[in-house]
Amino acid sequence: MVKKGREKIVAGCKAWFVFAIWLTIGSLTGLRAQELASFDDFDEEFNRDKPAAVWDPLIGYNRVMFQVNDKLYFWLFKPVATGYGKVVPEPGRLAVKRCFANLGFPARLVNNLFQLKLKEAGTECARFGVNTTVGLLGLFDPAHECFGLNPSDEDFGQTLGKIGVGDGIPLVLPILGMSNLRDLVGRAADSFLDPVNYLEHADAMAALRAYEPVNNLSLYLGEYEDAKQAALDPYILFRDAYRQNREKKLSE
């Protein structure tokens, strides 16, 4: 028991050391992106409506990974999600989505507290209590339907943004898709608050990790194709859309 406890402490220290390095890099690259965006004040004066330039030094890698994810979507994930959607009716898939969302309560609560959103943190506690009991472990959402309690989806990437950490550089993650350096750090931090990661059986944890995105994808089939078809450059479209969406959440 002592040996296992020591190993866990060492592993935790290593994880937080890596987190600190990523946080430092995120701050530096965020500042660099801001410098590039405001480099030419003269041009900015005459192009106020023009979007700020995006510093994307890994654009070569990002484009390749975007294409890899694109192929995986059409060759693997879409067929699996389509077949799953034909077997499980939509109400059941929506219930599963709500259940997984309910499990995200610890991360939402902690990040609302970090951002001093005390009212939202209280709402999250109330939602979790109602949906876990009356809502049968989150399969239903009586907190919203009966009491008008809406979730406050905060994550550690947003928390870092609130304290002034720049978004760094765009990153396309394998399978997970669009992200940036700051949100990659946020994902790592939020993973410590994910109950699924504390399952004793690795097979069960892996199964749930694979099941959630397939279930979610089955509810939104066709949206990716529509957006991609309308874009002259799909990578740029999804990169900028992700960035604008994160900026909007930070402003809320």
Side-chain angles (χ1 to χ4, degrees):
M1 293 294 293
V2 176
K3 183 178 180 181
K4 288 185 177 180
R6 187 180 297 116
E7 290 176 352
K8 288 184 178 180
I9 293 174
V10 173
C13 291
K14 289 181 179 179
W16 281 108
F17 178 71
V18 172
F19 166 73
I21 294 175
W22 277 112
L23 180 58
T24 303
I25 296 174
S27 300
L28 293 176
T29 52
L31 291 173
R32 175 61 177 160
Q34 292 174 6
E35 290 173 2
L36 289 176
S38 59
F39 179 75
D40 194 336
D41 293 333
F42 182 80
D43 286 344
E44 182 181 355
E45 188 69 24
F46 290 94
N47 295 279
R48 293 185 181 276
D49 297 330
K50 186 177 180 180
V54 178
W55 188 45
D56 194 354
L58 298 180
I59 190 170
Y61 156 80
N62 285 335
R63 284 189 179 279
V64 170
M65 188 53 62
F66 182 84
Q67 290 299 321
V68 170
N69 287 342
D70 181 78
K71 299 303 181 186
L72 285 173
Y73 172 80
F74 286 106
W75 295 350
L76 177 61
F77 301 131
K78 183 178 179 179
V80 171
T82 301
Y84 168 75
K86 292 181 179 179
V87 174
V88 181
E90 184 175 358
R93 287 178 280 138
L94 287 171
V96 170
K97 180 184 177 183
R98 289 191 291 265
C99 184
F100 276 110
N102 196 52
L103 290 175
F105 159 73
R108 292 194 300 272
L109 173 63
V110 169
N111 284 294
N112 273 295
L113 290 174
F114 279 161
Q115 297 176 38
L116 299 180
K117 294 184 175 182
L118 302 184
K119 180 180 178 181
E120 289 80 359
T123 300
E124 282 295 331
C125 290
R127 280 182 52 82
F128 181 74
V130 172
N131 288 344
T132 303
T133 53
V134 181
L136 302 178
L137 300 179
L139 291 173
F140 301 95
D141 191 2
H144 169 69
E145 296 172 358
C146 300
F147 302 102
L149 298 175
N150 298 316
S152 180
D153 294 324
E154 301 292 338
D155 55 56
F156 199 67
Q158 291 171 251
T159 298
L160 293 176
K162 289 288 187 180
I163 62 175
V165 177
D167 56 4
I169 59 176
L171 287 174
V172 180
L173 304 178
I175 299 177
L176 298 176
M178 288 295 171
S179 185
N180 57 47
L181 192 56
R182 182 187 62 209
D183 289 346
L184 178 61
V185 175
R187 284 176 180 268
D190 285 336
S191 68
F192 289 100
L193 298 171
D194 189 343
V196 176
N197 290 335
Y198 292 93
L199 292 175
E200 293 185 0
H201 300 288
D203 292 342
M205 181 176 70
L208 287 174
R209 281 277 165 261
Y211 178 46
E212 182 182 7
V214 169
N215 182 79
N216 290 343
L217 178 59
S218 70
L219 295 167
Y220 302 103
L221 285 172
E223 293 186 3
Y224 172 74
E225 296 91 316
D226 292 341
K228 181 184 174 184
Q229 187 176 8
L232 295 176
D233 188 332
Y235 166 69
I236 298 298
L237 171 69
F238 283 94
R239 182 197 69 185
D240 292 349
Y242 178 85
R243 185 168 182 262
Q244 292 167 11
N245 180 59
R246 296 299 287 176
E247 289 177 349
K248 179 181 178 182
K249 287 189 174 183
L250 282 175
S251 66
E252 293 176 350

